[in-house]
Amino acid sequence: MLSALEFYFDFYSPYGYLASLRIDEIAARQGYEVIWRPFLLGPAFAATGHRPLLDTPLMGDYVAHDFARSARLQGAVFRLPEEFPKAALAPSRAYYWLFDQQPENAKKLAKAVYRVTFEQGRDGTQPELVADLAEPLGVDRKQLLTAITTAEVKERLKQETQAAMARGVFGSPFVFIGDEPFWGNDRLEQVERWLQTGGW
Amino acid sequence: MLSALEFYFDFYSPYGYLASLRIDEIAARQGYEVIWRPFLLGPAFAATGHRPLLDTPLMGDYVAHDFARSARLQGAVFRLPEEFPKAALAPSRAYYWLFDQQPENAKKLAKAVYRVTFEQGRDGTQPELVADLAEPLGVDRKQLLTAITTAEVKERLKQETQAAMARGVFGSPFVFIGDEPFWGNDRLEQVERWLQTGGW
């Protein structure tokens, strides 16, 4: 019996951030857990031919407006980092490194990264900042900073990103209930309904 | 005092079709009318660099799945025309030609075009079919077929499409409440909430 959803996201995705604030609670209400799976949007954009939303002609202004409006609707603080978007290598690598040892702490780290990035508008891609956020979780900062430079951890993120795309993930956030795919923060109401009803 | 929304759509947009089935009712519940404004997605795609959804690598399968799932969720029949997408010149031109004389009938014609296209999967871009659908509304079919070949009517659609893009429309459906923009069938719940609350 299925008991967990999978939540794919990029650490520099505003809609991923907004979904991250709700997904665990939505799943828990229906008795499910959520496995968080960061990946890099860059390779997915390379495949779809899309550009980051804010850089897309005609769409940019709307999307900036919708980020803020969507945040207000769900009562979330939202602030765009000055340099945006960026490839979120350090937090994504740190996530998987930590996940293999302490999955709960990996999720806490992910939440902390999203918080500094989109609540405070800081640069959540900086390794030192990621290490700062991991320290209160009992993670040795030197160990983390070393780990994310190893070929093994780099390769792990690459493989996770490729596996996500092989599964059909092309945007952030992206949720799977079993094999049922849902793309976008604005599909979370459908995710809850699917969990409740078993589909329609 | 604002009393009407504007509903922009492309006649070959499945999400536009799904929104067309709900938008008048949603607006009416809050005491608003809806002005329907067909436009051509082609020029908007040229500006954003996007391709039609089904032809976008990685996204195509998801989108085909989501068309059908979204339709089931709102209890709508959905069938994709064999040749898809196409530039919906004839129905869009016929719409504006009729709109200038009989706005209510223009909306009825638009609904009929969407119905044959996405309920029956027929080719709703065919001038003869558009004329067939207009006839029961009391429209002379020869007059319609002639009108949509005139430079004036062609130019009208071109200008409507350019005006839509100048206003920021880049996808279908797209709704404006005054200057407040909403993109997507999945924003209609927000549209209703905005009408109820005056915004958030």
Side-chain angles (χ1 to χ4, degrees):
Chain A
M1 160 104 195
L2 185 72
S3 62
L5 326 186
E6 287 155 286
F7 170 57
Y8 289 85
F9 62 97
D10 179 296
F11 275 112
Y12 257 53
S13 157
Y15 293 125
Y17 157 69
L18 292 175
S20 80
L21 300 173
R22 311 196 283 150
I23 186 71
D24 283 324
E25 200 181 318
I26 285 170
R29 276 201 292 269
Q30 310 302 326
Y32 287 76
E33 296 194 343
V34 184
I35 299 166
W36 289 32
R37 294 197 180 281
F39 73 103
L40 297 180
L41 264 178
F45 283 148
T48 55
H50 287 186
R51 277 183 271 191
L53 294 168
L54 287 185
D55 301 336
T56 302
L58 264 187
M59 289 185 72
D61 287 349
Y62 174 82
V63 165
H65 184 73
D66 192 63
F67 286 164
R69 186 175 62 189
S70 297
R72 291 198 308 272
L73 183 60
Q74 62 179 80
V77 176
F78 179 73
R79 186 168 160 185
L80 205 63
E82 207 166 307
E83 200 180 329
F84 179 88
K86 293 183 77 170
L89 293 165
S92 305
R93 288 172 181 161
Y95 177 89
Y96 284 110
W97 170 72
L98 192 54
F99 180 80
D100 290 340
Q101 316 160 53
Q102 312 166 30
E104 278 312 306
N105 274 339
K107 193 183 278 193
K108 284 180 190 162
L109 176 62
K111 290 181 181 180
V113 169
Y114 259 151
R115 230 166 10 239
V116 296
T117 306
F118 291 113
E119 285 188 7
Q120 299 169 24
R122 294 170 70 190
D123 183 347
T125 69
Q126 292 304 309
E128 292 287 343
L129 178 52
V130 174
D132 290 347
L133 297 170
E135 218 165 13
L137 303 170
V139 177
D140 184 273
R141 54 179 298 126
K142 271 189 197 160
Q143 235 184 321
L144 181 148
L145 287 168
T146 305
I148 63 176
T149 64
T150 63
E152 190 191 338
V153 171
K154 290 181 180 179
E155 183 60 26
R156 172 67 181 278
L157 175 60
K158 207 181 236 177
Q159 283 178 5
E160 292 283 348
T161 296
Q162 283 169 353
M165 289 170 63
R167 210 177 166 184
V169 173
F170 55 82
S172 165
F174 212 102
V175 170
F176 282 98
I177 305 174
D179 290 330
E180 191 69 23
F182 296 88
W183 169 42
N185 179 49
D186 44 23
R187 282 289 180 282
L188 291 198
E189 285 72 22
Q190 289 190 18
V191 165
E192 179 152 27
R193 192 172 177 141
W194 196 275
L195 292 176
Q196 284 171 332
T197 62
W200 59 83
Chain B
M1 162 102 194
L2 184 73
S3 62
L5 325 188
E6 287 155 286
F7 170 57
Y8 290 85
F9 63 96
D10 180 295
F11 275 111
Y12 257 53
S13 158
Y15 293 125
Y17 157 69
L18 292 175
S20 80
L21 299 174
R22 310 196 283 148
I23 187 69
D24 282 326
E25 200 180 319
I26 285 172
R29 277 201 292 269
Q30 310 303 327
Y32 287 77
E33 297 194 341
V34 184
I35 300 165
W36 288 33
R37 293 196 180 283
F39 73 104
L40 297 180
L41 264 178
F45 282 148
T48 55
H50 287 186
R51 276 181 272 191
L53 293 169
L54 286 185
D55 299 336
T56 303
L58 264 186
M59 288 184 73
D61 288 348
Y62 174 82
V63 165
H65 184 73
D66 192 63
F67 286 163
R69 185 176 62 189
S70 298
R72 291 199 307 273
L73 183 59
Q74 61 180 79
V77 175
F78 178 74
R79 187 168 160 185
L80 205 63
E82 208 165 307
E83 200 180 328
F84 179 88
K86 293 185 77 170
L89 293 164
S92 306
R93 288 172 182 161
Y95 177 89
Y96 284 112
W97 171 71
L98 192 54
F99 181 80
D100 290 341
Q101 316 160 53
Q102 311 167 30
E104 277 311 306
N105 274 340
K107 192 184 280 195
K108 283 180 191 163
L109 176 61
K111 289 181 181 180
V113 170
Y114 259 151
R115 231 167 8 241
V116 294
T117 307
F118 291 113
E119 284 188 8
Q120 300 169 24
R122 294 170 69 190
D123 184 347
T125 70
Q126 291 304 308
E128 291 287 343
L129 178 52
V130 174
D132 289 347
L133 297 170
E135 218 166 13
L137 303 170
V139 177
D140 184 272
R141 54 179 299 125
K142 272 189 197 160
Q143 233 184 325
L144 181 147
L145 287 169
T146 305
I148 63 175
T149 64
T150 63
E152 190 190 339
V153 170
K154 289 181 179 179
E155 183 60 24
R156 172 67 182 279
L157 174 60
K158 207 181 236 178
Q159 284 178 6
E160 292 283 348
T161 297
Q162 283 168 353
M165 288 171 63
R167 208 175 167 186
V169 173
F170 55 83
S172 166
F174 211 102
V175 170
F176 281 98
I177 305 174
D179 290 329
E180 191 68 23
F182 296 87
W183 169 43
N185 180 48
D186 45 22
R187 283 290 180 282
L188 292 198
E189 285 71 23
Q190 290 190 18
V191 166
E192 178 151 28
R193 191 172 177 139
W194 196 275
L195 293 176
Q196 284 171 331
T197 62
W200 58 83

